[in-house]
Amino acid sequence: MVFAEGFLDRLAAERLVLAVGSTVEGTSSDAGGRDAFWRTIPRYNAAAPHLGLILALADHDSRECVGPRLKATLPHHHANLILRLSVPMLEAWLLADRTALAGFLHVPVAALPDDPDAVEHPKREVVNIARRSTRRQIREGMAPAPGRGGLCGPLYTPTVEAFIASAWDPLRAAKRSPSLHRALRALRTATRSAT
Amino acid sequence: MSQRKSDPSRILRFTNLKLASWKNFKAADVRLGERTFIIGPNASGKSNLLEVFRFLHDLAADGGGLAKAVALREGMSKVRSLHATSNSAVNITVEMLSACGEKWTYALTFDTLSAKSEQVLVSSETVLKDGQVVLQRPDQHDRIDSDRLRQTAIEQVSSNKLFRHLADFFRSIRFMNAVPQLIREGQISPGGYPGADPLGRDLLQHIRAAPKGERTRRLKAIARVLTRVVPDFRDLRLEQDEQGKPHLVVGFAHWRSQAARQRESQFSDGTLRLIAMLWSLQEAAGPLLLEEPEWSLHTEIVQRLAAFIASMQALSGGRQVLISTHSDRMLADPGIAADELLLITPAPKGGSMITPAARQAIIAKAMQQGLSAAETALPMTRMHTMPLFGRPA
């Protein structure tokens, strides 16, 4: 089962499950936002003994310390609930597959950061990298027009969705992203012990 | 009456809207981009804002006009804001820009003859093109014959020669709230020409009326979207039955060949509404007004809807779209910018006011940091957060 913070997180979580050689059993859904995710996660935790493995994925979000929140939200964390947080957000995990993302966005590989987990705002970084694309469609779709008052262009979501579905390799990305590496390790351990 | 063809470089879009005493808005002054999301609680007046554009359409429509447009809205007492100072005239001022850079302004003020009268008269009507006055009423003819003030110049083919382009643009504004059951019934256009029916009864006729190459191109673009959201979807075509009636036919990848093709009568409500919306979005015409387009669509589609709209706009050369919604799933798309959001909230002295989200410093800042419209702007329109609503930055 997969439960994720947002739509793109859910697609990435599904790829993670496949990457460790398992399949998504049961539902795959997303909360549609951070608040809704953290509101809902205790109910998944409570149901976890009856539902089997649940991969729950959300952004770590460096703006706040997540430790106390985790303790307050899940005082009795069930082993079936594999709660993983991308550091600081999903886009860091996407940036970590440098060759695939560079090819997909039509930018030089050198345009991508070496240490994606350390990038302050990976989503902004993805958008800024896309601005260098040789394809106009990618530049205009991924980046907002000047003065629009937003971070992403109008076609950010479907473009990233297509990248996750067609090009992103979590195993390759894990070599560059410690938080993704840890997530895959936890997921692999849990699926092995479940079988 | 057939649709008049427009030169694509002269297709206009609204860039600014000013209102006085319109419905529940005492006053408003907002900029409009290619895509605008109008958000607010129920009964806040989202529809009344879209209604301004429908009113402009009705002014210029064949068989329309000022008297008819007001009558369709049950008279001046329903058109005029309850919260305006007693008997103030209603004003609508719109600014428009064409793809080739022509700037137009249309300003109309109208009122009743007296407090008790239902007779609607033009108080003033102005058309500017690139800042130059093209029309200024009342003029000397109106002063000689005051009955002329019962009609706007925009509705009179004989007097709007210099700005017929503007009248054509108003006429091409489309409101859309397709009802799947009515699309399935399929009728000749109740509005007299294909695509005129907001409820979508003439959708199939409308699709058939498009030139073949254009029709194929648009159906292919719709098919690309459906591939992503309809399980086992393969292709979409328009076919005619033995009586010559057009049908949409969807092919599914399926092991049973009998079940592999479906007509629109078998489509789900959501699929039909989505097809109707995606078709209209690709037309090179005046603004498309979408009222709660999320209605009857699955979450999987709703969370992609804003991007579908943007990609279809790119195909049509940027048909302007105004969308009223309170769907947090649609507004969770990070591709929605602060300057695309208009918030409708209760005004301090009654009625509603329209606030561009980009003018709220807290929303603009949060969205710059990557928070979505659903996380920033939508909560601002909840009833209990209203008192926190600050003054524009």
Side-chain angles (χ1 to χ4, degrees):
Chain A
M1 217 168 168
V2 162
F3 177 61
E5 176 179 323
F7 168 51
L8 293 173
D9 305 285
R10 167 163 64 81
L11 301 178
E14 289 170 6
R15 293 298 308 273
L16 257 56
V17 174
L18 297 178
V20 300
S22 186
T23 50
V24 178
E25 286 170 19
T27 59
S28 178
S29 62
D30 61 77
R34 195 170 65 237
D35 290 348
F37 177 86
W38 288 103
R39 248 195 338 265
T40 315
I41 200 71
R43 288 196 276 129
Y44 274 89
N45 189 49
H50 315 284
L51 296 176
L53 288 185
I54 304 166
L55 172 60
L57 180 63
D59 290 344
H60 179 280
D61 195 348
S62 56
R63 279 163 290 186
E64 53 190 281
C65 177
V66 83
R69 180 178 210 171
L70 265 179
K71 281 211 177 76
T73 314
L74 298 175
H76 307 290
H77 189 158
H78 193 274
N80 276 355
L81 179 72
I82 309 149
L83 173 63
R84 301 310 310 183
L85 304 175
S86 45
V87 179
M89 61 185 74
L90 175 71
E91 280 77 358
W93 288 6
L94 307 181
L95 283 168
D97 191 356
R98 289 178 91 213
T99 47
L101 188 59
F104 191 86
L105 294 178
H106 296 270
V107 295
V109 178
L112 277 84
D114 281 329
D115 182 5
D117 280 22
V119 172
E120 193 191 336
H121 202 305
K123 191 184 258 179
R124 179 173 295 136
E125 184 77 8
V126 170
V127 171
N128 285 337
I129 290 167
R131 286 181 212 272
R132 298 177 57 179
S133 176
T134 52
R135 301 279 169 98
R136 187 172 63 95
Q137 206 184 346
I138 289 181
R139 291 194 304 271
E140 291 178 359
M142 289 284 282
R148 295 307 301 271
L151 189 60
C152 310
L155 300 181
Y156 179 86
T157 305
T159 310
V160 175
E161 176 189 354
F163 171 68
I164 294 173
S166 67
W168 186 57
D169 180 350
L171 297 176
R172 197 164 48 210
K175 291 178 186 155
R176 236 169 239 286
S177 164
S179 66
L180 176 55
H181 180 78
R182 290 192 299 272
L184 282 171
R185 194 176 55 200
L187 189 57
R188 206 174 278 123
T189 311
T191 48
R192 272 188 202 138
S193 57
T195 50
Chain B
M1 184 75 207
S2 65
Q3 273 177 295
R4 296 177 182 92
K5 284 239 165 189
S6 299
D7 169 4
S9 69
R10 298 193 72 200
I11 287 177
L12 295 161
R13 68 178 180 85
F14 290 110
T15 53
N16 199 279
L17 168 71
K18 283 196 190 99
L19 296 173
S21 301
W22 172 265
K23 297 251 175 179
N24 59 337
F25 302 107
K26 190 177 166 190
D29 183 355
V30 288
R31 280 197 303 166
L32 297 165
E34 278 182 20
R35 187 178 67 163
T36 303
F37 296 87
I38 301 162
I39 60 180
N42 288 327
S44 61
K46 296 193 294 295
S47 301
N48 287 344
L49 181 53
L50 291 181
E51 192 69 15
V52 179
F53 300 97
R54 300 182 75 181
F55 183 85
L56 292 174
H57 168 270
D58 294 346
L59 271 188
D62 300 312
L66 179 62
K68 176 99 180 273
V70 172
L72 280 171
R73 287 156 184 85
E74 298 176 48
M76 273 302 272
S77 59
K78 297 284 169 63
V79 170
R80 196 196 314 267
S81 172
L82 283 172
H83 307 282
T85 46
S86 61
N87 297 327
S88 0
V90 178
N91 171 265
I92 300 169
T93 303
V94 282
E95 290 173 21
M96 293 144 283
L97 183 68
S98 76
C100 63
E102 289 174 350
K103 282 184 189 162
W104 290 86
T105 303
Y106 179 75
L108 173 68
T109 309
F110 57 96
D111 203 347
T112 44
L113 186 60
S114 65
K116 287 184 181 166
S117 169
E118 270 295 311
Q119 175 69 60
V120 185
L121 295 177
V122 172
S123 311
S124 71
E125 187 181 22
T126 311
V127 176
L128 305 176
K129 185 188 175 190
D130 293 326
Q132 304 291 313
V133 176
V134 180
L135 173 87
Q136 181 82 66
R137 295 181 71 199
D139 57 15
Q140 54 180 352
H141 304 291
D142 297 323
R143 280 185 274 275
I144 294 165
D145 178 6
S146 61
D147 273 1
R148 285 168 49 92
L149 293 169
R150 292 179 184 199
Q151 290 190 319
T152 61
I154 205 96
E155 73 197 71
Q156 298 171 59
V157 179
S158 57
S159 67
N160 70 14
K161 200 169 78 183
L162 293 170
F163 49 93
R164 193 159 298 156
H165 180 49
L166 214 57
D168 288 345
F169 170 64
F170 287 174
R171 203 177 294 115
S172 72
I173 295 169
R174 288 281 171 275
F175 173 76
M176 190 169 192
N177 196 355
V179 178
Q181 288 83 345
L182 297 177
I183 298 176
R184 290 191 191 98
E185 281 175 19
Q187 288 178 12
I188 303 295
S189 182
Y193 54 86
D197 183 25
L199 303 178
R201 277 170 290 206
D202 59 346
L203 176 72
L204 299 175
Q205 298 287 345
H206 186 33
I207 293 176
R208 181 164 69 177
K212 192 170 177 236
E214 182 64 21
R215 180 170 69 224
T216 308
R217 192 185 62 75
R218 285 195 208 161
L219 289 177
K220 274 189 179 160
I222 296 172
R224 281 197 296 277
V225 167
L226 295 181
T227 307
R228 291 165 55 192
V229 291
V230 177
D232 299 325
F233 173 86
R234 206 179 58 205
D235 58 12
L236 174 69
R237 277 187 291 182
L238 188 81
E239 291 178 357
Q240 288 194 29
D241 65 17
E242 284 148 7
Q243 283 80 44
K245 205 178 161 201
H247 294 283
L248 281 171
V249 178
V250 163
F252 291 96
H254 201 285
W255 59 275
R256 278 167 58 202
S257 59
Q258 285 294 323
R261 304 199 71 71
Q262 280 189 359
R263 276 190 179 173
E264 73 282 342
S265 55
Q266 298 161 292
F267 294 179
S268 73
D269 283 5
T271 307
L272 263 181
R273 261 175 74 84
L274 186 62
I275 290 173
M277 208 183 316
L278 296 173
W279 176 270
S280 301
L281 280 163
Q282 292 182 75
E283 291 179 300
L288 185 67
L289 315 172
L290 298 174
E291 181 134 45
E292 298 181 11
E294 66 270 19
W295 177 58
S296 85
L297 295 180
H298 191 279
T299 314
E300 282 292 305
I301 298 174
V302 175
Q303 55 197 1
R304 292 171 165 102
L305 205 49
F308 286 162
I309 289 170
S311 55
M312 291 294 140
Q313 280 184 301
L315 291 175
S316 71
R319 181 173 197 178
Q320 191 171 25
V321 184
L322 290 107
I323 305 147
S324 80
T325 183
H326 28 78
S327 164
D328 55 349
R329 287 300 178 122
M330 178 158 60
L331 295 169
D333 189 321
I336 297 172
D339 75 348
E340 295 183 295
L341 300 166
L342 295 179
L343 314 179
I344 313 276
T345 52
K349 289 181 183 169
S352 294
M353 58 184 192
I354 311 171
T355 310
R359 269 194 233 158
Q360 293 290 319
I362 186 76
I363 296 181
K365 270 185 202 158
M367 290 185 72
Q368 281 291 352
Q369 288 305 314
L371 290 178
S372 70
E375 290 163 321
T376 54
L378 196 58
M380 290 283 199
T381 63
R382 281 191 204 122
M383 295 307 284
H384 66 272
T385 54
M386 299 301 179
L388 301 175
F389 210 72
R391 279 185 301 178

